[in-house]
Structure formats: C-alpha cells, structure tokens
Amino acid sequence: MDRRGVKRALAGILVAAGVVAGCATTTTSTDVSPKGPSASARLLPTKGNRAAGTVTFTQQGGKVLVKANVSGLKPNAEHGFHVHEKGDCTADAMSAGGHFNPAGAHHGSTASGAHHAGDLPNLKADAAGVATLTWEETDFTVTDGPASVVGRSVVVHLDPDDYKNQPAGNSGPRIACGVIARN
C-alpha cells in the first residue's frame, strides 16, 4: 500500500473510532437519569378494608414525581387520594388529621387553581381493583422545610373526591394509610 493508501486507511479508522465513541457517549447519557431525594409510604388497610400498596415521592428539581400502586380497591371506581398533615395512621387513619395544607388554601382540584398541597388526583381502579398513578406535583417537596411531605401520611378514601365540598371533598372513609418516610 502506498503512502496515500495508508493515510486513507488511518483516516477511516479515526472516523470510525470517533463515531463509535460518540455513540457510546450518547447511549450512556440517555440511559442515566438523575434522581433527587426520595421518600415512600407503605399503604396498609384500615380495619375491614383490603386496600394496600406503595407510594413513592422523588424530588426532581422544583417538582416531585409521585408514583402510586394500590390494590384491593373497589373495581372500576375512583378513590380520593391525599397527603394528610400528620404521620399517624392509627385510629383507622383518623389520626392522620386533615389534608396537608401549608398555604392555607381551600380544598379543590389540582386542575382548578386553589387547592390544598395534599390534594392529589383520584385513583382510578381497573376491573381487578388495582390503580396506578404517576403525577408531578409542585406544591410540596421531599426536602426539608414547611412544604415537605416527609413525616406526613398518604391516605386512600373509599369514594372519589368531588373537589368541591369543604374541607375534604366528600371522599368518605379512609381505607388505607401509610406514613411517608425518607428513603
């Protein structure tokens, strides 16, 4: 091979190496997603109920990603779902207090403007009585401070939240509760 052929071969190898290196960098950067502080709650049924599951809270910048997976619900029904002010699930979760509301707002839907920080979308159970929810929230945090959900509780109710009746949306008895703890 002459000198010109060697230069072409080397140039081809360098280009191929650059493409492979570039692909490796791109693949790695898209596979890694940064995670912030997180907390979770293990939902346990209140007396006479079967609802149970998990809820995770992950801080991602100015938002908290909420993921819930709950089973043992009334099939094909909606259920109120809220963060409550106290981290106490005794007394059939009545000890959890009212909805978490550090701003002193009226109860309402997250889609309608004013609402408690603890007002979350209703859980929608499928035919097997299982509900999953993925929700981004900006009204509370996982980090320390007055808007933190850590040390509070998350509650599932028997009926859907109507987002109108004050102070709790007429969502009925508390059928599951879990204390939110930092991971």
Side-chain angles (χ1 to χ4, degrees):
M1 189 179 303
D2 67 359
R3 197 175 209 182
R4 198 177 272 173
V6 170
K7 283 183 179 180
R8 282 187 194 147
L10 285 174
I13 292 169
L14 291 173
V15 168
V19 168
V20 170
C23 288
T25 302
T26 302
T27 301
T28 302
S29 66
T30 59
D31 290 343
V32 177
S33 59
K35 290 189 177 182
S38 65
S40 60
R42 182 173 166 232
L43 294 169
L44 297 174
T46 57
K47 187 176 180 181
N49 295 294
R50 299 178 323 148
T54 58
V55 184
T56 60
F57 302 84
T58 305
Q59 190 78 43
Q60 297 181 329
K63 298 178 181 178
V64 174
L65 180 63
V66 179
K67 289 188 174 187
N69 188 338
V70 184
S71 61
L73 299 170
K74 181 179 176 185
N76 300 314
E78 291 189 28
H79 299 270
F81 182 55
H82 309 105
V83 173
H84 284 248
E85 60 189 352
K86 299 176 185 171
D88 186 349
C89 290
T90 60
D92 277 345
M94 292 306 293
S95 54
H99 296 176
F100 178 48
N101 188 18
H106 285 288
H107 175 69
S109 168
T110 57
S112 68
H115 61 277
H116 300 151
D119 291 340
L120 297 171
N122 285 329
L123 294 174
K124 297 177 183 179
D126 63 15
V130 175
T132 59
L133 173 79
T134 299
W135 179 255
E136 286 186 339
E137 185 59 58
T138 58
D139 293 324
F140 54 68
T141 68
V142 176
T143 57
D144 293 337
S148 178
V149 294
V150 175
R152 303 190 188 286
S153 61
V154 61
V155 174
V156 178
H157 295 267
L158 179 64
D159 301 316
D161 188 329
D162 65 14
Y163 302 114
K164 295 175 186 168
N165 283 298
Q166 298 298 323
N170 200 29
S171 51
R174 301 171 186 200
I175 61 172
C177 182
V179 175
I180 304 167
R182 194 174 311 282
N183 291 335

mmCIF file of all heavy atoms in Angstrom, residues 14-34:
data_model
loop_
_atom_site.group_PDB
_atom_site.id
_atom_site.type_symbol
_atom_site.label_atom_id
_atom_site.label_comp_id
_atom_site.label_asym_id
_atom_site.label_seq_id
_atom_site.Cartn_x
_atom_site.Cartn_y
_atom_site.Cartn_z
ATOM 1 N N LEU A 14 -9.846 6.427 12.226
ATOM 2 C CA LEU A 14 -10.099 7.518 13.167
ATOM 3 C C LEU A 14 -11.553 7.972 13.117
ATOM 4 O O LEU A 14 -12.174 8.220 14.152
ATOM 5 C CB LEU A 14 -9.159 8.696 12.887
ATOM 6 C CG LEU A 14 -7.687 8.454 13.215
ATOM 7 C CD1 LEU A 14 -6.831 9.630 12.744
ATOM 8 C CD2 LEU A 14 -7.496 8.214 14.699
ATOM 9 N N VAL A 15 -12.126 8.066 11.928
ATOM 10 C CA VAL A 15 -13.536 8.441 11.797
ATOM 11 C C VAL A 15 -14.418 7.387 12.455
ATOM 12 O O VAL A 15 -15.329 7.687 13.218
ATOM 13 C CB VAL A 15 -13.917 8.651 10.315
ATOM 14 C CG1 VAL A 15 -15.428 8.739 10.141
ATOM 15 C CG2 VAL A 15 -13.240 9.888 9.773
ATOM 16 N N ALA A 16 -14.143 6.117 12.190
ATOM 17 C CA ALA A 16 -14.934 5.035 12.780
ATOM 18 C C ALA A 16 -14.826 5.057 14.298
ATOM 19 O O ALA A 16 -15.815 4.890 15.012
ATOM 20 C CB ALA A 16 -14.481 3.688 12.231
ATOM 21 N N ALA A 17 -13.625 5.298 14.821
ATOM 22 C CA ALA A 17 -13.433 5.354 16.275
ATOM 23 C C ALA A 17 -14.214 6.517 16.870
ATOM 24 O O ALA A 17 -14.835 6.397 17.928
ATOM 25 C CB ALA A 17 -11.944 5.476 16.614
ATOM 26 N N GLY A 18 -14.220 7.659 16.174
ATOM 27 C CA GLY A 18 -14.975 8.817 16.649
ATOM 28 C C GLY A 18 -16.464 8.556 16.664
ATOM 29 O O GLY A 18 -17.173 8.921 17.589
ATOM 30 N N VAL A 19 -16.976 7.890 15.649
ATOM 31 C CA VAL A 19 -18.400 7.559 15.583
ATOM 32 C C VAL A 19 -18.768 6.606 16.715
ATOM 33 O O VAL A 19 -19.755 6.796 17.417
ATOM 34 C CB VAL A 19 -18.768 6.961 14.204
ATOM 35 C CG1 VAL A 19 -20.154 6.351 14.217
ATOM 36 C CG2 VAL A 19 -18.648 8.017 13.124
ATOM 37 N N VAL A 20 -17.966 5.570 16.916
ATOM 38 C CA VAL A 20 -18.238 4.618 17.991
ATOM 39 C C VAL A 20 -18.182 5.323 19.347
ATOM 40 O O VAL A 20 -19.057 5.154 20.190
ATOM 41 C CB VAL A 20 -17.253 3.424 17.939
ATOM 42 C CG1 VAL A 20 -17.369 2.577 19.179
ATOM 43 C CG2 VAL A 20 -17.516 2.593 16.698
ATOM 44 N N ALA A 21 -17.170 6.148 19.566
ATOM 45 C CA ALA A 21 -17.055 6.867 20.839
ATOM 46 C C ALA A 21 -18.244 7.789 21.027
ATOM 47 O O ALA A 21 -18.807 7.885 22.117
ATOM 48 C CB ALA A 21 -15.746 7.657 20.884
ATOM 49 N N GLY A 22 -18.647 8.483 19.966
ATOM 50 C CA GLY A 22 -19.805 9.366 20.059
ATOM 51 C C GLY A 22 -21.066 8.612 20.405
ATOM 52 O O GLY A 22 -21.869 9.048 21.207
ATOM 53 N N CYS A 23 -21.249 7.450 19.803
ATOM 54 C CA CYS A 23 -22.431 6.637 20.098
ATOM 55 C C CYS A 23 -22.414 6.176 21.541
ATOM 56 O O CYS A 23 -23.429 6.182 22.215
ATOM 57 C CB CYS A 23 -22.505 5.427 19.168
ATOM 58 S SG CYS A 23 -22.933 5.859 17.473
ATOM 59 N N ALA A 24 -21.268 5.771 22.026
ATOM 60 C CA ALA A 24 -21.176 5.301 23.407
ATOM 61 C C ALA A 24 -21.533 6.419 24.363
ATOM 62 O O ALA A 24 -22.271 6.222 25.325
ATOM 63 C CB ALA A 24 -19.772 4.769 23.702
ATOM 64 N N THR A 25 -21.064 7.622 24.102
ATOM 65 C CA THR A 25 -21.366 8.756 24.971
ATOM 66 C C THR A 25 -22.854 9.070 24.944
ATOM 67 O O THR A 25 -23.476 9.266 25.976
ATOM 68 C CB THR A 25 -20.549 9.993 24.534
ATOM 69 O OG1 THR A 25 -19.172 9.653 24.595
ATOM 70 C CG2 THR A 25 -20.838 11.172 25.418
ATOM 71 N N THR A 26 -23.459 9.071 23.765
ATOM 72 C CA THR A 26 -24.875 9.369 23.640
ATOM 73 C C THR A 26 -25.714 8.326 24.360
ATOM 74 O O THR A 26 -26.621 8.655 25.110
ATOM 75 C CB THR A 26 -25.281 9.428 22.146
ATOM 76 O OG1 THR A 26 -24.478 10.420 21.524
ATOM 77 C CG2 THR A 26 -26.741 9.741 21.989
ATOM 78 N N THR A 27 -25.397 7.069 24.170
ATOM 79 C CA THR A 27 -26.157 6.000 24.818
ATOM 80 C C THR A 27 -26.073 6.122 26.335
ATOM 81 O O THR A 27 -27.075 6.031 27.021
ATOM 82 C CB THR A 27 -25.633 4.618 24.369
ATOM 83 O OG1 THR A 27 -25.754 4.545 22.955
ATOM 84 C CG2 THR A 27 -26.401 3.503 25.019
ATOM 85 N N THR A 28 -24.893 6.359 26.852
ATOM 86 C CA THR A 28 -24.723 6.471 28.295
ATOM 87 C C THR A 28 -25.515 7.637 28.854
ATOM 88 O O THR A 28 -26.193 7.510 29.851
ATOM 89 C CB THR A 28 -23.224 6.636 28.640
ATOM 90 O OG1 THR A 28 -22.530 5.520 28.123
ATOM 91 C CG2 THR A 28 -23.008 6.722 30.123
ATOM 92 N N SER A 29 -25.468 8.786 28.172
ATOM 93 C CA SER A 29 -26.137 9.966 28.721
ATOM 94 C C SER A 29 -27.652 9.818 28.718
ATOM 95 O O SER A 29 -28.316 10.366 29.574
ATOM 96 C CB SER A 29 -25.727 11.221 27.961
ATOM 97 O OG SER A 29 -26.204 11.171 26.637
ATOM 98 N N THR A 30 -28.226 9.087 27.777
ATOM 99 C CA THR A 30 -29.673 8.924 27.772
ATOM 100 C C THR A 30 -30.130 7.825 28.712
ATOM 101 O O THR A 30 -31.288 7.802 29.107
ATOM 102 C CB THR A 30 -30.193 8.623 26.347
ATOM 103 O OG1 THR A 30 -29.575 7.435 25.879
ATOM 104 C CG2 THR A 30 -29.940 9.774 25.416
ATOM 105 N N ASP A 31 -29.250 6.931 29.089
ATOM 106 C CA ASP A 31 -29.633 5.852 29.988
ATOM 107 C C ASP A 31 -29.595 6.259 31.455
ATOM 108 O O ASP A 31 -30.163 5.587 32.293
ATOM 109 C CB ASP A 31 -28.701 4.639 29.796
ATOM 110 C CG ASP A 31 -28.929 3.949 28.464
ATOM 111 O OD1 ASP A 31 -29.988 4.202 27.853
ATOM 112 O OD2 ASP A 31 -28.054 3.176 28.047
ATOM 113 N N VAL A 32 -28.919 7.337 31.779
ATOM 114 C CA VAL A 32 -28.776 7.752 33.171
ATOM 115 C C VAL A 32 -29.706 8.923 33.428
ATOM 116 O O VAL A 32 -29.628 9.943 32.771
ATOM 117 C CB VAL A 32 -27.309 8.159 33.471
ATOM 118 C CG1 VAL A 32 -27.181 8.658 34.883
ATOM 119 C CG2 VAL A 32 -26.376 6.999 33.207
ATOM 120 N N SER A 33 -30.618 8.770 34.374
ATOM 121 C CA SER A 33 -31.495 9.876 34.737
ATOM 122 C C SER A 33 -31.213 10.270 36.184
ATOM 123 O O SER A 33 -31.246 9.426 37.071
ATOM 124 C CB SER A 33 -32.954 9.499 34.551
ATOM 125 O OG SER A 33 -33.279 8.380 35.334
ATOM 126 N N PRO A 34 -30.910 11.543 36.422
ATOM 127 C CA PRO A 34 -30.589 11.971 37.777
ATOM 128 C C PRO A 34 -31.806 11.873 38.685
ATOM 129 O O PRO A 34 -32.920 12.165 38.265
ATOM 130 C CB PRO A 34 -30.139 13.418 37.604
ATOM 131 C CG PRO A 34 -30.734 13.855 36.310
ATOM 132 C CD PRO A 34 -30.884 12.629 35.476
#
